[in-house]
Amino acid sequence: MSNLNFLHSGGNKVTLSTPDSNPSSDLTLKLPQADGTNGQFLKTDGSGALSFATALTGPTAPSWTTAASFDCASANPSAFEVTGLSNPQVIMFVFHEIKHSASSRCVMQIGNDSSGYQASGYFDIGTYRTAGDQNPVSTRGHNQAQWYPLDYNFTNNTNRYSGKIVLTKTFNRWSYETSCDVSYPNTNTQYEIMWRGHNRTFSSALNRVKLVNDAGGTFTEGYLTILTQS
């Protein structure tokens, strides 16, 4: 066992010691760039990067950070995408009447800034139904190249989606849940969607996420915000 000693001018020392047993592999811990504020603690992202964070006490809830916001009518984005994330614990898409120009499905992928987007191991399953219908339609996607978080069988470019998608990390794996409604202009037709899924193989630090229509085109109406939580 190796020790690193810091000797005080008064004669006593502070010692940092390696673990009791030999680690299964080399371990690198990267210290933060600067000191934290009073009362914060040192935490890890699970990949060796250390940072200072505020401990939660009582009913205090974690705060959300806005990673990106989109005004679709003004910007016409081809994708809702954010990169450079620091492997957060939760990612949430919140959207209001988003509409895409292509008559196809909206898909979602997660990835790492070094290796790009994960292209395998996506599973999802869910239901959709017309509002008031007692018999929802259930469908699924098995071991795919992406998730289908908004729908699986809607391919109408008049769809307007409102609701949220929440991605959650468990250790180093990711799952998601969708809750949203689909409406159409100038009609009373409305659907409700409940969807969920996971990725079996992606285990890298999550730095990027993308929601895009797989037929191209742009998002032409509505608003969407991507939020993260450490």
Side-chain angles (χ1 to χ4, degrees), residues 51-66:
S51 61
F52 289 100
T54 301
L56 302 179
T57 59
T60 303
S63 60
W64 291 95
T65 299
T66 300

Side-chain angles (χ1 to χ4, degrees), residues 12 28 35 39 42 50 64 85-86 91 101 117 134-135 137 142 169 183 187 225:
N12 292 326
T28 299
D35 192 11
L42 199 61
L50 305 179
W64 291 95
L85 297 174
S86 298
I91 301 172
S101 63
Y117 284 104
Q134 299 301 311
N135 299 305
V137 177
H142 185 79
K169 179 173 64 177
S183 60
T187 73
T225 298

Side-chain angles (χ1 to χ4, degrees), residues 1-6 13-19 31:
M1 182 183 299
S2 298
N3 296 323
L4 180 62
N5 297 313
F6 297 89
K13 63 184 178 181
V14 175
T15 300
L16 294 179
S17 180
T18 57
L31 292 172

Side-chain angles (χ1 to χ4, degrees), residues 50-206:
L50 305 179
S51 61
F52 289 100
T54 301
L56 302 179
T57 59
T60 303
S63 60
W64 291 95
T65 299
T66 300
S69 291
F70 302 86
D71 180 344
C72 299
S74 299
N76 291 148
S78 59
F80 299 125
E81 182 177 24
V82 62
T83 62
L85 297 174
S86 298
N87 200 27
Q89 186 69 34
V90 185
I91 301 172
M92 181 164 60
F93 290 78
V94 183
F95 42 93
H96 179 268
E97 291 201 339
I98 56 172
K99 176 180 177 291
H100 60 78
S101 63
S103 296
S104 191
R105 301 180 178 99
C106 293
V107 298
M108 183 169 66
Q109 290 180 307
I110 55 177
N112 180 271
D113 282 345
S114 298
S115 57
Y117 284 104
Q118 177 74 12
S120 62
Y122 294 93
F123 295 75
D124 47 14
I125 187 169
T127 59
Y128 63 89
R129 64 181 176 183
T130 305
D133 192 343
Q134 299 301 311
N135 299 305
V137 177
S138 178
T139 187
R140 67 174 182 155
H142 185 79
N143 201 17
Q144 310 162 116
Q146 64 273 308
W147 284 316
Y148 292 82
L150 291 183
D151 57 63
Y152 202 77
N153 290 315
F154 296 112
T155 55
N156 189 330
N157 64 7
T158 62
N159 294 351
R160 286 172 168 81
Y161 299 90
S162 299
K164 62 183 179 182
I165 304 168
V166 180
L167 296 93
T168 306
K169 179 173 64 177
T170 302
F171 188 58
N172 60 355
R173 294 296 193 275
W174 286 84
S175 302
Y176 85 87
E177 290 189 2
T178 296
S179 176
C180 75
D181 66 84
V182 185
S183 60
Y184 300 86
N186 305 316
T187 73
N188 289 325
T189 303
Q190 190 174 22
Y191 287 86
E192 58 181 346
I193 296 175
M194 302 296 292
W195 211 259
R196 60 191 180 275
H198 67 279
N199 186 281
R200 173 175 290 174
T201 52
F202 181 79
S203 60
S204 302
L206 193 153

